[in-house]
Amino acid sequence: MFTGIITDIGTIRAHEQRGDLHLVIGCGYAMDGVAIGASIACSGACLTVVEKGADWFAVDLSAETVACTAPGLWDEGGRLNLERALKVGDELGGHIVTGHVDGIGTVTSVSPDGDSHKVVFAVDLSLAPLIAPKGSITVDGVSLTVNAVRDVDGGAQFSVNLIPHTWDVTTLGRLTEGAKVNLEIDVLARYLDRMQGARARAM
């Protein structure tokens, strides 16, 4: 379980296709306090630490994980938003995040908005009903509030505002038009959608 509050930016130092994809990720965490088997959210995907060193950790990604996450995200040299798993008693500063990517969004525009930046994303029909104005959404692991949503042909577009702090301390400050991002919808919306679908099938 995570909160969507990023605590470090990691860099992919090595990318090796074995049976699964094996990544070595450099980071600023004190790795002596991170156990083998611990979970770290990497740009929104919950991954398991399988090896570690003083300033790095390694993870294995299944073909399913690679297929369900943003293309190009796991290339060598790529930068990742990192968050360690929530501990009992930690402050819940963002919202409840599971680290399970629900879909891919595409940046349609990035524009200044006061001191902040307004970013608009396009999503397909499968996610469109699950995104609500003033609701929470996770973009590449970052907890954000949805400003507005509008339906478009084939899906929807939603906007968020990135304050200067978020722009500076996450990878979202590098977003450009056409970029692909990992999206996780609010967990409550996920369960409500499942319940509604089950109810409709039972009728």
Side-chain angles (χ1 to χ4, degrees), residues 8-191:
D8 193 18
I9 294 181
T11 301
I12 299 175
R13 294 181 180 174
H15 166 123
E16 182 183 356
Q17 190 65 59
R18 301 178 178 176
D20 290 324
L21 177 61
H22 184 78
L23 301 179
V24 175
I25 301 169
C27 67
Y29 291 141
M31 290 304 298
D32 57 353
V34 178
I36 298 295
S39 295
I40 296 179
C42 299
S43 287
C46 177
L47 301 176
T48 300
V49 175
V50 297
E51 300 174 59
K52 66 174 186 173
D55 62 349
W56 61 271
F57 64 95
V59 295
D60 291 323
L61 284 74
S62 69
E64 173 71 10
T65 299
V66 174
C68 291
T69 51
L73 179 65
W74 311 115
D75 292 347
E76 189 169 338
R79 287 159 52 87
L80 303 171
N81 293 320
L82 302 181
E83 181 188 355
R84 293 187 60 187
L86 184 66
K87 297 178 182 177
V88 175
D90 283 353
E91 179 180 353
L92 186 61
H95 71 283
I96 295 174
V97 175
T98 64
H100 299 153
V101 176
D102 293 300
I104 306 301
T106 302
V107 177
T108 62
S109 67
V110 180
S111 56
D113 187 5
D115 291 331
S116 301
H117 286 80
K118 178 182 177 182
V119 185
V120 180
F121 301 91
V123 296
D124 63 24
L125 283 172
S126 65
L127 289 186
L130 307 175
I131 300 172
K134 307 310 175 188
S136 295
I137 194 163
T138 309
V139 177
D140 275 352
V142 182
S143 173
L144 298 169
T145 299
V146 176
N147 285 343
V149 184
R150 68 184 184 94
D151 294 330
V152 298
D153 289 342
Q157 290 186 344
F158 72 92
S159 62
V160 300
N161 267 63
L162 304 178
I163 63 172
H165 176 77
T166 304
W167 186 262
D168 292 338
V169 304
T170 72
T171 65
L172 301 187
R174 294 188 170 193
L175 290 179
T176 57
E177 185 175 342
K180 304 292 187 181
V181 295
N182 292 333
L183 299 177
E184 181 183 331
I185 59 170
D186 189 338
V187 67
L188 296 178
R190 183 185 296 156
Y191 282 110

